[in-house]
Amino acid sequence: MTRQKSNAFKRRGDASSGSRSISDPQTSKSDENIQGIETEIQTDDYSEILPMPLGIWDFDHCDPKRCSGKKLVRLGLVKLLKVSNRFRGITLSPQGQQAVSPADRFIVEEHGLAVIDCSWARLEDVPFTKLKTSHDRLLPYLVATNPINYGRPWKLNSVEAYAACFYITGFPNYAEKLLSKFKWGNTFFMVNKTLLDKYAACEDSQEVVKVQNEWLNEIEMEYRNKRSKDNFYEHEHEFLAKNPNHADRDEEESEESSVDEN
């Protein structure tokens, strides 16, 4: 599963971005000798599917039966990358230092999009220094809707990560195409569309982070207000209960009223 590096920004969220194991099972010294030091991903392989290449470094940190990245590879929509492969497009990586933004549109359009599918709990197992990436990015705050992490902020899986990046950089149709391969895919837009539209309207990474933090502030304020109201109503209910200290007074007033009537 691909997860977002929430602690890279002003706010912290649950660790979420990628999932799989370190030792690359697909790469060997013999492979590197045959392919040379660098092997680039060719856009032509994707000409009949998407107009730009999609790649994934998969380190097998999650259940292969539930892995959205593996499913996209099986469908021929995403290329499984080896450690020796170079990718010149945007790479969603825990090593990113800035948020993906509409300013990355040209890079995505020309060179594509890749994810590093790994677990935050096993980052030490991932050979980041060996991965030949060109433009590392992080995803801003979004809520996962996949069956494993439904409703949990930051914990997007691979297809959600691709979709979010495509939407933010101005390619919503490609985002919809990828999510359409999953029964729950449309739910991602239902939950996140308002925020995705805000991100897509930004100019650069700095503005995306600003929008993210404003959104998180609103969430925090709503939460505090709700807690405050809940506490108020809880105490108010106690106030509405009859005060036993007034029992005698009420009885006296009732007796006086009866005497006056007689």
Side-chain angles (χ1 to χ4, degrees):
M1 295 182 293
T2 297
R3 303 180 179 178
Q4 302 152 279
K5 186 179 180 183
S6 57
N7 61 349
F9 300 148
K10 177 181 177 182
R11 296 282 180 175
R12 289 178 177 267
D14 296 332
S16 51
S17 209
S19 21
R20 334 275 137 187
S21 83
I22 168 122
S23 37
D24 181 24
Q26 286 110 18
T27 302
S28 64
K29 291 184 179 180
S30 60
D31 288 333
E32 292 178 353
N33 291 334
I34 294 174
Q35 297 176 14
I37 298 178
E38 297 181 355
T39 303
E40 296 190 8
I41 304 303
Q42 301 299 322
T43 306
D44 293 344
D45 296 339
Y46 299 83
S47 59
E48 296 181 0
I49 304 172
L50 291 177
M52 69 279 289
L54 298 184
I56 183 171
W57 283 280
D58 185 351
F59 293 98
D60 298 315
H61 288 178
C62 70
D63 184 348
K65 295 180 180 179
R66 297 183 177 184
C67 180
S68 64
K70 280 183 167 59
K71 180 175 180 178
L72 293 176
V73 171
R74 290 196 302 269
L75 293 174
L77 293 168
V78 173
K79 175 73 174 181
L80 184 62
L81 304 177
K82 298 179 180 180
V83 171
S84 59
N85 291 142
R86 174 178 293 279
F87 195 84
R88 298 188 180 281
I90 295 295
T91 297
L92 299 177
S93 166
Q95 299 295 298
Q97 297 299 313
Q98 65 185 77
V100 66
S101 75
D104 296 316
R105 177 185 173 90
F106 176 77
I107 299 175
V108 172
E109 186 173 25
E110 291 296 314
H111 304 292
L113 172 63
V115 301
I116 298 175
D117 200 344
C118 63
S119 171
W120 282 94
R122 299 175 61 181
L123 291 182
E124 68 279 1
D125 292 337
V126 181
F128 289 108
T129 58
K130 295 182 180 180
L131 300 181
K132 300 177 176 65
T133 62
S134 300
H135 306 281
D136 290 353
R137 295 289 187 272
L138 296 165
L139 285 173
Y141 175 90
L142 291 165
V143 177
T145 62
N146 63 77
I148 298 176
N149 290 309
Y150 183 87
R152 303 180 70 178
W154 307 103
K155 294 195 173 183
L156 308 189
N157 64 10
S158 294
V159 69
E160 289 172 318
Y162 285 121
C165 187
F166 270 137
Y167 199 102
I168 293 171
T169 55
F171 302 101
N173 291 338
Y174 301 153
E176 292 176 3
K177 181 170 185 177
L178 293 179
L179 286 172
S180 69
K181 305 302 179 182
F182 300 81
K183 294 180 179 179
W184 51 266
N186 189 52
T187 309
F188 183 72
F189 289 131
M190 294 173 61
V191 172
N192 293 288
K193 191 174 188 307
T194 298
L195 192 50
L196 284 169
D197 285 338
K198 288 179 178 290
Y199 292 148
C202 295
E203 291 187 2
D204 53 27
S205 176
Q206 185 175 4
E207 190 173 352
V208 167
V209 175
K210 179 181 177 182
V211 168
Q212 168 197 260
N213 291 337
E214 290 175 349
W215 183 271
L216 291 175
N217 283 332
E218 290 179 10
I219 292 176
E220 185 174 351
M221 287 299 296
E222 289 178 2
Y223 175 75
R224 289 182 177 180
N225 289 338
K226 185 178 185 304
R227 285 288 301 275
S228 178
K229 288 181 180 180
D230 289 343
N231 290 335
F232 171 77
Y233 287 130
E234 181 179 345
H235 293 305
E236 183 182 46
H237 179 71
E238 295 175 0
F239 297 151
L240 291 175
K242 189 170 183 176
N243 189 336
N245 295 325
H246 295 169
D248 294 338
R249 184 189 306 171
D250 292 341
E251 290 178 1
E252 292 176 0
E253 291 178 352
S254 177
E255 291 176 358
E256 291 176 359
S257 176
S258 297
V259 171
D260 292 340
E261 290 177 358
N262 293 332

